[in-house]
Amino acid sequence: MSKLAHAQWSSKMTFVLAAAGSAVGLGNIWKFPYMVGESGGAAFVLVYLVCIGLIGLPILIAEWLIGRRGQENPINAMADLAKRGGHFPAWVAVGISGVLGGFLILSFYSVIGGWSLYYTLGSVTGNFSGKDADGIGAVFTGMLGSPGLLLLWHTAFMVLVIGIVARGVTNGLEGAVRTLMPALVILMLVLVGYGITTGHFGEALAFMFSPDWGAVNGEVVLAAMGQAFFTLSLGMGIMMAYGSYLGEDVNLLSTARTVILLDTVIAVLAGLAIFPIVFANGLDLDSGPGLIFVTLPLAFGNMAGGTILGLMFFLLLTFAALTSAISLLEPAVEFMEERTSLSRVAATATCGIGVWLLGILALLSFNLLGDFLILGFNIFDLLDNLTSKILLPLTGLGAVVFAAWCLDRQGVAQELRLSGGAESLWVVVARYIAPLGVIAVFVNSLVG
Ligand code: PHE
């Protein structure tokens, strides 16, 4: 594919919005709170924040650098850049595992996107109003126990994703993200406000920010690092693919700061909205993937205007999930479109159907295949753990090592508009701190 024919973002703003749209999603609102709950609270939060700053930021920039240099799908970009620089052809593995990771993640991500759609509908039909914690819990377990229901909503979610990706990623994304992201932030603030009225906000604050360092072990640190990768959409070729549509005029460093700040604020707000409800109702901190689906409907059922707020919340959550899901499919589609003779629509349908099929196995883990374990995990947990804790960190490690050691240092400094001490700091972080950080977390989790 010729370089000239490769599309570019219509403006800098579109790029920022697309990157934020990819980063902010179920990872922030669904996954972050339940991982905090499972992993003992504040210690996890603080390790996570350190991982975001010292590992997430440099890797995000590394992926954009590689994508922008390559101007192609992640696999071709890595292959070409390695060849041009006279490096090992094996670097292409970074591109391949990225594309594969996106594919695997989307399969279980779409199942949760389906839950969000189902809850959107449930808010309209009054499925949650007047129910107590047990009633709300029963709605959730009822959904999990029904393969047909899960399949229906997983399918609906994938149809939406395929429909949007087939038309090309930039069309329509910009306007939607621009209005809906602020709406999401405002709604989260309203929910935090509700949390304050429960009288248990202080407990939630302490749980999230007052660490019990005794709770930290290798497993918690690995989970926190995995979450940092997941929430920033790193290690999956996505940010590389988005970088490949990027012109020279975008300041990568300040853009990365904006995206990371927004992503982190939304995750923390989600925690501050959810934990007061957990404490107020004596719910289980350790409820896992069901946490937001058994806490927030309780709040909506008990507050003035709760029906409409609940509807808005689940709509926005679905939307945030969609903008992330689009980005998960994009690298595989971009690759197929540029490498094969398939049209964009055919490439999207092929990848989308593959993801949909794998997603069916994931959703059956909640019912029919609940006892089918591989390495001690059901299929859903296996896909989640394999990607977040292994594939993403390894791919991200490859990307940052390549960007920091194999791309020419001067060119990168110019691209990042860094000089003097700031440039040296970048080199130290990207060459040593981030890669060694990832390796240390791996080793640490192996030894316990
Ligand atoms: N970052 C997204 C989220 O937090 C999920 C995602 C992961 C999207 C990986 C793309 C790639 O929900």
Side-chain angles (χ1 to χ4, degrees):
M1 160 120 190
S2 106
K3 299 260 149 58
L4 289 175
H6 194 88
Q8 295 237 325
W9 299 105
S10 57
S11 75
K12 264 190 251 189
M13 196 60 191
T14 322
F15 168 67
V16 176
L17 290 169
S22 170
V24 175
L26 294 171
N28 306 63
I29 300 169
W30 161 72
K31 198 168 183 202
F32 175 75
Y34 91 71
M35 298 212 41
V36 174
E38 271 181 355
S39 309
F44 173 90
V45 175
L46 299 179
V47 176
Y48 163 82
L49 291 175
V50 170
C51 289
I52 292 273
L54 288 183
I55 298 177
L57 178 72
I59 293 184
L60 178 58
I61 292 174
E63 291 202 17
W64 283 343
L65 278 171
I66 292 172
R68 178 153 78 178
R69 296 269 175 118
Q71 294 281 308
E72 283 174 291
N73 70 71
I75 298 180
N76 287 17
M78 282 307 299
D80 282 0
L81 289 178
K83 194 158 143 200
R84 262 190 261 160
H87 304 292
F88 251 167
W91 278 109
V92 72
V94 171
I96 295 176
S97 71
V99 169
L100 181 71
F103 193 87
L104 297 178
I105 290 182
L106 185 53
S107 69
F108 71 86
Y109 202 82
S110 166
V111 175
I112 313 296
W115 296 1
S116 181
L117 274 175
Y118 176 66
Y119 272 62
T120 307
L121 185 74
S123 313
V124 188
T125 56
N127 210 356
F128 310 118
S129 35
K131 292 206 163 93
D132 60 3
D134 289 342
I136 300 278
V139 173
F140 184 70
T141 13
M143 175 185 78
L144 288 191
S146 164
L149 203 57
L150 293 178
L151 177 62
L152 173 71
W153 293 105
H154 161 59
T155 308
F157 189 83
M158 275 314 296
V159 167
L160 288 172
V161 175
I162 294 172
I164 299 171
V165 174
R167 287 189 194 166
V169 157
T170 56
N171 290 346
L173 197 64
E174 178 168 1
V177 177
R178 199 193 283 270
T179 45
L180 295 174
M181 200 70 85
L184 184 64
V185 173
I186 292 172
L187 208 71
M188 300 302 302
L189 287 171
V190 171
L191 287 171
V192 174
Y194 174 81
I196 295 175
T197 69
T198 62
H200 291 261
F201 192 70
E203 247 171 291
L205 264 186
F207 179 65
M208 280 184 71
F209 295 110
S210 167
D212 160 18
W213 292 114
V216 178
N217 55 28
E219 189 51 33
V220 167
V221 177
L222 181 63
M225 182 178 76
Q227 175 62 8
F229 277 91
F230 187 86
T231 194
L232 294 177
S233 306
L234 297 178
M236 231 158 322
I238 287 174
M239 292 302 181
M240 271 187 217
Y242 278 10
S244 77
Y245 298 119
L246 202 54
E248 287 302 323
D249 53 338
V250 174
N251 183 338
L252 297 182
L253 203 56
S254 68
T255 309
R257 236 181 292 144
T258 310
V259 170
I260 287 185
L261 193 67
L262 183 68
D263 188 83
T264 308
V265 165
I266 293 187
V268 169
L269 286 180
L272 290 177
I274 284 165
F275 289 115
I277 305 174
V278 173
F279 290 117
N281 293 282
L283 296 169
D284 197 0
L285 280 167
D286 205 1
S287 8
L291 188 64
I292 67 162
F293 295 94
V294 296
T295 48
L296 293 183
L298 259 182
F300 296 129
N302 286 302
M303 61 165 96
T307 308
I308 182 84
L309 285 176
L311 171 64
M312 276 171 58
F313 174 80
F314 283 110
L315 260 183
L316 288 171
L317 180 64
T318 305
F319 179 79
L322 273 174
T323 54
S324 301
I326 292 167
S327 74
L328 281 163
L329 196 54
E330 177 63 19
V333 170
E334 193 189 7
F335 172 71
M336 279 208 128
E337 199 188 359
E338 295 183 1
R339 270 291 181 87
T340 68
S341 59
L342 291 182
S343 67
R344 177 158 192 103
V345 174
T348 312
T350 311
C351 299
I353 290 172
V355 167
W356 176 75
L357 288 171
L358 192 57
I360 295 179
L361 290 179
L363 67 85
L364 291 177
S365 333
F366 293 105
N367 36 68
L368 300 180
L369 295 181
D371 296 328
F372 178 73
L373 303 183
I374 304 173
L375 302 173
F377 294 108
N378 67 32
I379 298 172
F380 185 94
D381 291 339
L382 184 71
L383 285 165
D384 182 5
N385 281 292
L386 184 72
T387 49
S388 289
K389 293 183 184 162
I390 300 177
L391 213 50
L392 307 188
L394 281 182
T395 311
L397 176 66
V400 76
V401 168
F402 186 82
W405 291 93
C406 300
L407 297 181
D408 70 304
R409 179 169 166 177
Q410 254 181 355
V412 169
Q414 271 173 7
E415 261 186 80
L416 295 182
R417 293 170 211 178
L418 290 175
S419 57
E423 197 268 339
S424 311
L425 182 64
W426 155 258
V427 170
V428 171
V429 172
R431 283 196 173 172
Y432 302 101
I433 296 183
L436 291 176
V438 176
I439 293 168
V441 174
F442 271 130
V443 173
N444 189 26
S445 74
L446 286 180
V447 296

